[in-house]
Amino acid sequence: MNTFWSMSTSSARKRPETEEKALAGEPKNSPPRTAPKKQLPTIPKNAVPVTKPVSPALSAQSTNGTHASYGPFYLEYSLLAEFTLVVKQKLPGVYIQPSYQSALMWFGVIFIRHGLYQDGVFKFTVYIPDNYPDGDCPRLVFDLPIFHPLVDPVSGELDVKRAFAKWRRNHNHIWQILMYARRVFYKIDTTSPLNPEAAVLYEKDIQLFKSKVTDSVKLCSSHLFDPPKIEDPYAISFSPWNPAVHDEAREKMLSQKVRKRSCMLTVVTQTIESEVASLSEELQQVLCNLYTKTTA
């Protein structure tokens, strides 16, 4: 039964029998009511509470009273707040987009600018547990397994729990997972690897490690234009350069940069002109004082 309805139907307190008898034998001298008594709305016929399938972990959490009566709304608010934080962070080379089908699945891509994985373009998916933020840590899985000590060579899942052994509500956030996923390609960690071969090669044969990394980067680039593995209108996809489509967008982006630079130059020029004007006035005053002293 829905918590809201159970509270509304059982909220009235039953009077003891002795109190009811005493009240029945005595006239009630309460003042007349000027307004009707406020009551909860009646339960409509054939009303079915709106629910969603939940995991056992969420049911256990609900018994503690954390957000039992407003779980779906709290989850939606939490995910919206998380995405807002991601946008505010402006992580370099990282782009993320929530799925159209489910707010618990986000599509992303990481661009690696330098280092061993330079020119790498790695698409991934973030899977968020349905009892977020009170549950386990979200998972990050690359579309293609990348040759890396912390990436599972079969599933492509990144070892996120290394950095977030226990997900702490109001302390850990999804943007931190994205930042961690970017950092692992610049700072290699080989302790307790998911890919032991990559860890051993990095420690003992760095040239062979670099060769396998280059092959992995090329493999991901060769599949860059493949359709998304999950059919979703918001899934991130790439297409070859098409001048009829992309030239206009490129011109808009470049024009915005030029406009910003021109605005900055205008501000700087105005500042310099005002400084020169003030200096010229001071210089004229100094010359005038010198002339006055010399002619006196």
Side-chain angles (χ1 to χ4, degrees):
M1 186 176 181
N2 188 282
T3 308
F4 176 80
W5 298 123
S6 62
M7 291 175 60
S8 63
T9 54
S10 61
S11 58
R13 182 177 61 87
K14 187 177 180 181
R15 297 178 183 274
E17 294 182 358
T18 55
E19 184 178 352
E20 289 181 351
K21 292 179 180 179
L23 291 174
E26 298 177 2
K28 196 171 183 180
N29 297 325
S30 59
R33 295 182 179 275
T34 58
K37 183 179 178 180
K38 294 182 178 179
Q39 295 180 350
L40 291 174
T42 58
I43 302 176
K45 294 182 179 180
N46 302 326
V48 179
V50 178
T51 57
K52 62 185 282 292
V54 294
S55 63
L58 180 57
S59 302
Q61 183 65 33
S62 298
T63 56
N64 298 330
T66 304
H67 51 270
S69 59
Y70 55 97
F73 305 101
Y74 181 81
L75 176 62
E76 183 179 356
Y77 173 80
S78 298
L79 294 176
L80 180 61
E82 286 291 339
F83 185 71
T84 303
L85 288 175
V86 170
V87 174
K88 289 182 177 180
Q89 292 301 318
K90 297 181 179 179
L91 300 176
V94 180
Y95 299 88
I96 196 80
Q97 172 69 36
S99 166
Y100 175 83
Q101 299 177 0
S102 172
L104 298 174
M105 183 170 58
W106 295 9
F107 304 110
V109 61
I110 297 178
F111 295 89
I112 305 301
R113 310 297 188 187
H114 56 84
L116 295 174
Y117 293 84
Q118 184 176 0
D119 298 330
V121 182
F122 307 130
K123 292 193 290 184
F124 62 88
T125 305
V126 177
Y127 297 95
I128 305 170
D130 58 0
N131 57 343
Y132 186 86
D134 298 307
D136 204 357
C137 176
R139 298 166 51 235
L140 191 148
V141 182
F142 291 101
D143 286 13
L144 292 174
I146 304 168
F147 190 77
H148 190 285
L150 303 185
V151 178
D152 190 287
V154 178
S155 65
E157 182 170 357
L158 176 66
D159 186 7
V160 175
K161 290 189 176 181
R162 172 187 301 267
F164 307 93
K166 183 178 180 181
W167 191 259
R168 292 184 291 173
R169 176 183 177 185
N170 296 330
H171 180 79
N172 297 129
H173 300 282
I174 295 177
W175 70 266
Q176 295 170 334
I177 295 179
L178 301 177
M179 184 172 66
Y180 169 75
R182 177 182 178 272
R183 187 173 65 243
V184 298
F185 293 106
Y186 295 102
K187 185 178 180 181
I188 310 299
D189 186 3
T190 59
T191 56
S192 302
L194 291 182
N195 188 338
E197 179 190 2
V200 171
L201 289 180
Y202 181 79
E203 295 289 345
K204 298 183 178 180
D205 193 344
I206 189 64
Q207 295 302 324
L208 183 56
F209 176 82
K210 289 180 179 180
S211 176
K212 286 185 173 291
V213 166
T214 302
D215 293 340
S216 181
V217 170
K218 290 180 179 179
L219 178 64
C220 292
S221 299
S222 65
H223 290 276
L224 190 61
F225 300 137
D226 291 353
K229 291 186 175 182
I230 301 175
E231 292 186 3
D232 191 289
Y234 289 170
I236 295 178
S237 61
F238 293 88
S239 60
W241 181 267
N242 184 355
V245 176
H246 301 125
D247 277 350
E248 183 180 356
R250 181 175 180 271
E251 291 299 328
K252 287 183 179 180
M253 289 188 290
L254 293 177
S255 63
Q256 289 178 358
K257 289 184 178 181
V258 171
R259 196 177 298 113
K260 289 181 180 179
R261 289 177 181 176
S262 63
C263 291
M264 293 177 62
L265 288 173
T266 302
V267 173
V268 172
T269 303
Q270 292 177 350
T271 304
I272 293 175
E273 290 177 351
S274 61
E275 292 292 336
V276 170
S278 60
L279 287 174
S280 61
E281 291 179 357
E282 293 178 0
L283 182 60
Q284 291 178 2
Q285 184 65 35
V286 170
L287 293 175
C288 183
N289 293 336
L290 289 174
Y291 178 77
T292 304
K293 290 180 179 179
T294 55
T295 56

